[in-house]
Amino acid sequence: MGTAEERREELKAVWQQARSCTKCPQLAAARQTVVFGSGNADADLMFVGEAPGANEDRQGLPFVGQAGRLLETLLEEIGLTRADVFIANVLKCRPPGNRDPLPQEIDACQDYLFRQLELIEPRVVCTLGNFSTKLLRGDPATGITRLHGREEIRQIGPRRVRLYPIYHPAAALYTPKMLDTLRADFGRLPELLALDPPDQPEPEPELVVPEPEIVEEVEREPEAAQLGLF
Ligand code: SF4
């Protein structure tokens, strides 16, 4: 849909909309900034985390704390930088005290994420942890422990992407075994990015409004016309 420039402009419009969003009154009242996401607006690889933390809320950027530094290290290990990818979260505002996002907050915010996915057009979407994995797979019952490191093709909105769930980097900060798993899962990203993009569904056919049919006027028989038979 549209050129990269057009999609970028549209993404900016969605950002403007999110910046003043107050759909979650508690989050809107407590936040310092709306953390929309950052990176390459035409990226092949998009990461989706959970929600901003205190550092992100202050700086207005996702993944800038310790978990963000780990994410950058893992990216470097596969030859990428933040500038190559786009990073966003399920929620754009920080939940107070870093509590879990509430279902109604996820519902309220998800349209921003779906628009981001539609406009950035990534080939591979890497969900970090349970919240984004459950939301983008549309399956709240299956968690990251069962799904991490296993890619699948999923239709999200109008596009098909390779969805690749992995653990959230925050989960690996203090657990060396988890870090090994995360690093191994991360290591498969170049292979997934090298695959052909998923086939896209046929675009919805445009609604064709038929030309009005021109019917020759027929001379009515006087009796029938009076009885309303034509
Ligand atoms: S979390 Fe999302 S929906 Fe809720 S106020 Fe922030 S931007 Fe709006």
Side-chain angles (χ1 to χ4, degrees):
M1 65 158 292
T3 64
E5 193 51 40
E6 284 165 350
R7 289 186 284 111
R8 192 187 152 79
E9 287 307 310
E10 187 59 34
L11 192 64
K12 280 196 216 161
V14 181
W15 172 59
Q16 288 296 351
Q17 211 184 328
R19 282 175 82 184
S20 54
C21 177
T22 54
K23 283 194 267 180
C24 314
Q26 191 197 21
L27 306 194
R31 74 184 174 216
Q32 292 190 40
T33 54
V34 172
V35 184
F36 184 65
S38 74
N40 180 349
D42 197 27
D44 284 337
L45 173 60
M46 183 162 161
F47 289 94
V48 185
E50 183 179 314
N55 292 311
E56 288 81 9
D57 181 47
R58 255 194 309 277
Q59 297 184 39
L61 292 168
F63 283 86
V64 288
Q66 269 185 299
R69 278 195 290 281
L70 176 55
L71 183 68
E72 280 173 27
T73 304
L74 293 167
L75 275 172
E76 276 167 27
E77 288 176 4
I78 57 168
L80 296 173
T81 69
R82 282 180 81 111
D84 297 314
V85 303
F86 195 91
I87 306 174
N89 281 309
V90 169
L91 289 193
K92 311 304 184 203
C93 302
R94 180 191 180 211
N98 293 346
R99 66 157 168 72
D100 284 349
L102 302 176
Q104 63 268 31
E105 293 166 349
I106 297 174
D107 276 356
C109 208
Q110 64 185 2
D111 281 354
Y112 294 122
L113 177 62
F114 288 131
R115 285 295 282 150
Q116 287 175 314
L117 288 160
E118 194 181 334
L119 292 166
I120 293 166
E121 297 190 347
R123 292 172 174 211
V124 177
V125 177
C126 191
T127 49
L128 303 169
N130 261 323
F131 285 94
S132 52
T133 302
K134 289 180 176 181
L135 175 66
L136 294 188
R137 293 185 77 251
D139 173 11
T142 315
I144 191 70
T145 311
R146 275 186 54 195
L147 295 168
H148 77 90
R150 289 162 47 181
E151 77 277 12
E152 58 185 318
I153 292 179
R154 282 261 161 184
Q155 180 147 351
I156 301 176
R159 296 187 66 253
R160 288 197 193 115
V161 298
R162 254 175 244 286
L163 193 77
Y164 186 57
I166 64 174
Y167 283 111
H168 194 289
L173 280 176
Y174 307 107
T175 318
K177 200 162 169 280
M178 186 73 88
L179 180 57
D180 290 344
T181 306
L182 183 60
R183 183 166 270 129
D185 289 345
F186 231 87
R188 289 203 49 232
L189 279 169
E191 171 198 326
L192 298 181
L193 286 164
L195 294 173
D196 286 337
D199 290 337
Q200 294 303 322
E202 291 292 319
E204 293 280 318
E206 275 186 36
L207 192 63
V208 180
V209 182
E211 292 286 324
E213 210 176 322
I214 298 167
V215 184
E216 274 181 42
E217 248 181 64
V218 189
E219 209 173 294
R220 296 178 170 202
E221 290 174 33
E223 301 82 10
Q226 272 165 13
L227 292 170
L229 296 179
F230 285 96

